[in-house]
Amino acid sequence: MNHMYKKKIWFAALSLASVHVLVLGAGFFAPYDPAEQHRDAPFERPMRLHIFDSHGRFHLRPYVCTWVNEGNSLGPPRYAEDCSHTWPLRFLVREETHAPRAALGPARHLLGVDAPGRVFLLGTDDYGRDQLSRLLYGGQVSLFAGLLATGLSLGLGAILGCIAGYFGSWPDDVIMRVAEIFMALPWIYLLFALRAFLPLNLGAGQPFFLLISVIGLAGWARPSRLVRGVVLSAKQRDFVHAARGFGASNVYILRRHILPEIMGVVLTQAALLISQCILAEITLSFLGLGLGEPAPSWGNMLAGLQKYYVLENCWWMLVSGLALVPVFLLYHLLADALCAHFKAPGLSRKGRMTIEKLQVAI
Amino acid sequence: MIHFLAQRLARALFVLFGVSVLTFVLIDLAPGEYFQAMRLSPQISRETVAALRIEYGLERPLPARYLRWLGSVSRGELGFSFAYNSPVWPLLRTRTGNTLILTFSALACSWLVAIPIGVMVASRAGRWQDRIFGIGTAFLQATPDVLIGLGVLALALRVRWLPTGGMYAPATSEIEGSGKMKDLVLHMVLPVLALTAGMLPVLVRHVRSAMLEVLDTPFITAARGHGIPPCRILFGYALPAAANPLISMFGLSVGALLSGSLLIEVIMSWPGVGPMLLEAILQRDPYVVVAVVLFSTLFLVAGSLLADVCLYIADPRIRVE
């Protein structure tokens, strides 16, 4: 039985790792720069990859046609496919840049087409920016915001939980009272309250870390409480008493005996918290409180859909939201499997598992 | 009972106090304030802005402002909104009502749907019905609320069966009574649907696991042996025994729905507290932010208090403790 959970954990972890690699390598995998605008091609539909041409002949190298805008300039653009000229897809194309690139940027892209042609496999947004490129670059922000914020809140939660559980008395009281206040707020409201103390407009770079710290701060209370519970029970174990009898210091006991005990809770909570933190970033960016344009994130890519005509006509603008579903499925799978594998105290019973999940959600 | 209630109430008051202090300090730390935009305008002199700041008490130290705010809370004003130039409570009152209508309808809907599905799925654990619902709930749980909201709205825009956005149709503002009620219900369908869809997977999984635990116990086997019909065993015997974790879950789901409704309100332009909070943060209107955050806490705390009281009534073991 345990073996099966291990397999699940490996499957989820490896799939997630490959998603992250894909996103990190956006410079190579994405055909365009995320901020590169094609003003003559707003809201272009995802292009079809053709293998058979209009005469039914087979082409080994897939090609794309151009979309021609047939709508008037007032309404949303209406595109029709024009296959009078085809653009065969090229792989590992060398980039022709106008501006000098950063030294680290890769010189080649995975795919592209010859010069005047353009390839938008997932369509374009209102400025004619390639959705596929924005999806990949936006994943850098959204997925890693989740990872880093989780690291922050788990680190904080584990440290405070250890202090509260191990030392007891007044540190315990203070930490748990504050945690109670943090948990009494519905999580979006807590996020907003914490967000209120940052400047309104956040660009890229340093504000990204400010945003992460806000999301991280919103989530420390739950893990700290769970860790405290585990530490409280671990403290009573015979080997801890024995170690203390031999004159071991507090730090030694915490590191050698308590830390391994809380690993299960921490890992399980990590898998739960990461999806929560990603969701937090998406929500903030969607509402215009996260990372600002032109930096793409999976949340601000969805913000354009608040206009009804975009929502009605351009389903491809939803791609970043749709991309979240498999990512969250994998994280939930990982969390469930880790839960079952570790049988962490307080998490082992089936009924508890979902309650923890919901409590994180609150 | 009274002792128990008093204890919980004291705790709730402490939490509310803590939340108000926390939000106050956070907002005070924020760079920029409501009058900052005025300073940029050449038509408004520096002296005017300074006088306004003094008039609204922004020059005073934080503790003084907090005490003053507490005073306005005791008068039932909940502070003063700079953007609306009015006390916060009259602004918040209708918004709160709108949010509560939405949240409680969604709460009722999601539990009414989740309990039968959860019980059904638990009674067929391991069979194809369980698998299908398991996969369905996993997918729905992995779908972010934003996507659910946008998806429901996009679908509604495509088929155009239901009104989208707002609470009432513009023309019905004069109609009273049942016509208005019908309009409200029609406008509520989409946001309630989106909120229920977001809440459902968690609740179904929870009902299922609570029921599974009870269905394993000997008294259910005994009931089966006595030939009691399966439906009565499930709803008459097993469900009440599984009620305990579900009641505490009910309290928690209030908070989860409040979180969810903020987003859905913004997406569906429902005139609740969600859009108001967003606007207040963007305008740097501090007392509105504090009031809305406090309101959300109040309802989360009230939800868990209600759950505690229900547990106290439902479970004799807790009374003994």
Side-chain angles (χ1 to χ4, degrees), chain A residues 177-178 180-190 192-200 222 279 282-283 286-289 302 305-306 308-309 311-314 318 321-322 324-326 328-329 332 336 349-355 357-359 361-362, chain B residues 11 14-15 18-19 22-23 26-27 29-31 138-139 141-144 146-147 150 153-154 157-158 160 164-165 199 202 205-206 209 212-213 248-249 252-253 255-256 258-259 262-263 266-267 269 273 277-278 281-282 284 289 292-293 296-297 300-301:
Chain A
R177 288 295 148 263
V178 177
E180 205 168 293
I181 290 170
F182 270 75
M183 280 190 299
L185 277 159
W187 78 272
I188 285 195
Y189 287 86
L190 173 62
F192 272 38
L194 289 172
R195 174 63 183 79
F197 92 104
L198 291 188
L200 281 182
R222 176 73 44 195
L279 207 57
I282 304 278
T283 309
F286 174 75
L287 296 174
L289 293 171
L302 290 172
L305 290 162
Q306 285 174 348
Y308 276 8
Y309 78 88
L311 191 61
E312 216 179 337
N313 297 304
C314 313
L318 281 167
L322 293 173
L324 274 172
V325 177
F328 280 1
L329 268 177
H332 290 170
D336 283 356
R349 280 166 59 213
K350 276 182 204 152
R352 289 276 176 80
M353 212 164 82
T354 35
I355 211 171
K357 208 168 261 180
L358 185 85
Q359 281 169 344
I362 292 166
Chain B
R11 199 171 233 192
F14 163 77
V15 163
V19 167
L22 182 77
T23 31
L26 282 177
I27 287 169
L29 289 173
F139 265 93
Q141 198 169 15
T143 313
V146 187
L147 195 60
L150 289 173
L153 196 59
L157 285 171
R158 181 74 34 111
R160 295 198 179 279
T164 50
M199 202 62 213
V202 186
R205 288 186 76 162
H206 197 74
S209 59
L212 275 184
E213 223 163 277
S248 44
M249 185 71 167
L252 295 174
S253 66
L258 272 176
S259 287
L262 191 148
L263 202 60
V266 174
I267 292 174
S269 41
V273 291
L277 177 63
L278 192 62
I281 287 180
L282 290 174
R284 294 268 174 236
V289 176
V292 173
V293 168
S296 72
T297 317
L300 185 58
V301 169

Side-chain angles (χ1 to χ4, degrees), chain A residues 215-233:
Chain A
I215 298 170
L217 276 178
W220 68 272
R222 176 73 44 195
S224 86
R225 229 175 134 125
L226 288 173
V227 166
R228 174 181 171 269
V230 177
V231 172
L232 274 181
S233 71

Side-chain angles (χ1 to χ4, degrees), chain A residues 46-131:
Chain A
M47 284 178 173
R48 291 190 199 125
L49 280 177
H50 296 269
I51 305 177
F52 294 99
D53 61 17
S54 51
H55 305 294
R57 271 177 312 199
F58 173 73
H59 292 250
L60 187 61
R61 186 181 284 280
Y63 66 88
V64 293
C65 299
T66 39
W67 288 110
V68 183
N69 189 356
E70 288 182 340
N72 55 17
S73 58
L74 294 171
R78 220 171 313 218
Y79 286 99
E81 199 166 38
D82 170 24
C83 280
S84 58
H85 199 303
T86 60
W87 309 98
L89 211 58
R90 310 238 177 257
F91 295 96
L92 298 175
V93 287
R94 189 173 282 283
E95 185 176 16
E96 4 69 68
T97 42
H98 311 293
R101 272 191 69 91
L104 280 171
R108 285 174 187 274
H109 293 286
L110 181 62
L111 40 88
V113 290
D114 290 335
R118 290 180 298 214
V119 56
F120 302 124
L121 291 180
L122 288 177
T124 63
D125 66 4
D126 46 349
Y127 291 105
R129 294 176 295 197
D130 179 32
Q131 282 281 97

Side-chain angles (χ1 to χ4, degrees), chain B residues 4 29 35 84 93 104 136-137 143 152 156 171 187 194 228 269 311 317:
Chain B
F4 169 84
L29 289 173
F35 296 107
Y84 290 93
R93 197 174 43 204
F104 280 109
T137 49
T143 313
V152 167
H187 277 82
I228 298 170
S269 41
L311 268 184
R317 281 169 298 183

